[in-house]
């Protein structure tokens, strides 16, 4: 399973990449705005360079399917590791599957985003999406269980031998990460604030503290024993 960072914050991307756990990154217009990236193409180029050969998802900002298609092509030209994010529908509920299909036929990797149901996931895969972004938090916001959507989508993709990968996003708690992993996500995209919570544990700290203290006591014992044998040999 892979971990992506759901962020456009250069410091966080560098920090967690250095820990060896980041396989790619995802953004959306809200994340770019929050992280101070206002120029889409300039930001896309900079973040893509930072990631090297790891994929970076960048979303179109137009709501019109025809404009999405040309913007998607432009975004893809910014760097070879860019994956173009297209919502499954626009804000008016019109299908964007045709845009996904056309970009995929151009050999542009598409991440279909804002997926909230199994049927949307199925259609995105059929249209040619390379990635299917299931929004766990937003599914749960409406009182539904995101694990059911993730599990059913994974089973269907495997049964029908689709190569599309499930990215689970919209993470609200550390428990969402664990649940999505066990439900069959190929990739979880994690906002950086959850990574320290995943790695840290109060009892790990206490355990390491105990080991450090005992290692210090062992050193003290050794230097006392050396001092005693040195003073014995001079008598
Ligand atoms: C992932 O690709 C999405 O951009 C992101 O996780 C959406 O999360 P949100 O529901 O917190 O906006």
């Amino acid at each position: 399973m892979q971990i992506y960072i759901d962020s456009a914050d250069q410091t966080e991307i560098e920090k967690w990449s250095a820990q060896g756990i980041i396989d790619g990154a995802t953004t959306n217009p809200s994340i770019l705005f929050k992280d101070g990236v206002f120029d889409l193409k300039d930001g896309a180029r900079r973040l893509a360079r930072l990631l090297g050969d790891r994929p970076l998802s960048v979303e179109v900002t137009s709501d019109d399917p025809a404009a999405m298609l040309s913007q998607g092509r432009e975004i893809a030209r910014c760097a070879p590791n860019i994956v173009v994010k297209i919502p499954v529908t626009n804000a008016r509920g019109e299908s964007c599957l045709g845009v996904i299909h056309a970009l995929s036929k151009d050999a542009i990797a598409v991440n279909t985003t804002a997926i909230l149901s199994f049927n949307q996931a199925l259609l995105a895969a059929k249209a040619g999406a390379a990635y299917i972004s299931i929004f766990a938090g937003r599914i749960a916001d409406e009182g539904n269980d995101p694990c059911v959507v993730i599990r059913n989508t994974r089973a269907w993709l495997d049964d029908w031998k689709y190569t599309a990968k499930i990215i689970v996003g919209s993470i609200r708690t550390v428990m969402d990460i664990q649940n999505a992993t066990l439900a069959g996500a190929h990739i979880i995209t994690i906002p950086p604030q959850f990574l320290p919570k995943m790695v840290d544990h109060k009892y790990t700290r206490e355990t390491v503290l105990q080991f450090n203290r005992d290692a210090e006591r062992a050193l003290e014992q050794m230097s006392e024993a050396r001092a005693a044998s040195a003073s014995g040999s001079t008598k």
Side-chain angles (χ1 to χ4, degrees):
M1 197 205 77
Q2 295 194 323
I3 291 179
Y4 287 2
I5 189 163
D6 202 18
S7 176
D9 182 328
Q10 179 166 342
T11 309
E12 293 289 348
I13 295 172
E14 282 175 335
K15 179 168 100 188
W16 292 103
S17 291
Q19 304 282 319
I21 57 159
I22 301 300
D23 300 297
T26 49
T27 64
N28 62 37
S30 303
I31 290 173
L32 291 176
F33 181 70
K34 173 177 72 65
D35 290 338
V37 180
F38 305 130
D39 183 325
L40 183 74
K41 285 203 273 178
D42 183 61
R45 281 191 206 96
R46 186 172 50 77
L47 293 172
R49 219 174 13 253
L50 189 66
L51 286 156
D53 57 1
R54 294 168 293 166
L56 167 73
S57 286
V58 180
E59 187 160 346
V60 292
T61 52
S62 170
D63 201 47
D64 168 60
M68 271 183 199
L69 183 56
S70 56
Q71 196 190 13
R73 288 182 173 132
E74 269 180 50
I75 292 172
R77 276 195 291 272
C78 289
N81 56 330
I82 285 183
V83 174
V84 176
K85 241 177 161 184
I86 305 286
V88 66
T89 74
N90 65 7
R92 294 185 300 277
E94 293 163 345
S95 169
C96 298
L97 296 171
V99 181
I100 295 157
H101 188 55
L103 290 173
S104 304
K105 280 176 89 178
D106 285 357
I108 292 171
V110 176
N111 175 352
T112 303
T113 194
I115 299 267
L116 298 169
S117 73
F118 169 77
N119 282 326
Q120 290 178 322
L122 173 161
L123 293 173
K126 282 200 68 70
Y131 300 94
I132 296 169
S133 281
I134 297 178
F135 278 18
R138 291 185 192 246
I139 293 173
D141 285 346
E142 294 208 307
N144 296 309
D145 183 352
C147 288
V148 173
V149 179
I150 298 164
R151 205 175 293 118
N152 288 345
T153 303
R154 178 63 189 264
W156 184 85
L157 290 173
D158 289 351
D159 276 357
W160 293 95
K161 313 242 178 315
Y162 278 89
T163 55
K165 301 277 179 260
I166 299 170
I167 303 180
V168 175
S170 187
I171 296 298
R172 306 271 202 263
T173 68
V174 170
M175 197 62 194
D176 294 340
I177 299 166
Q178 186 171 320
N179 288 339
T181 302
L182 298 174
H186 296 98
I187 301 158
I188 317 273
T189 189
I190 304 177
Q193 66 269 26
F194 295 111
L195 293 167
K197 291 180 195 239
M198 286 173 77
V199 73
D200 193 17
H201 196 293
K202 195 175 67 176
Y203 195 35
T204 303
R205 291 187 193 201
E206 285 173 21
T207 304
V208 174
L209 187 64
Q210 177 204 318
F211 293 162
N212 289 348
R213 282 190 182 139
D214 285 343
E216 269 173 38
R217 288 167 62 201
L219 281 175
E220 280 165 19
Q221 291 285 321
M222 247 166 44
S223 63
E224 277 173 27
R226 280 203 192 108
S229 87
S231 76
S233 63
T234 54
K235 279 181 192 160

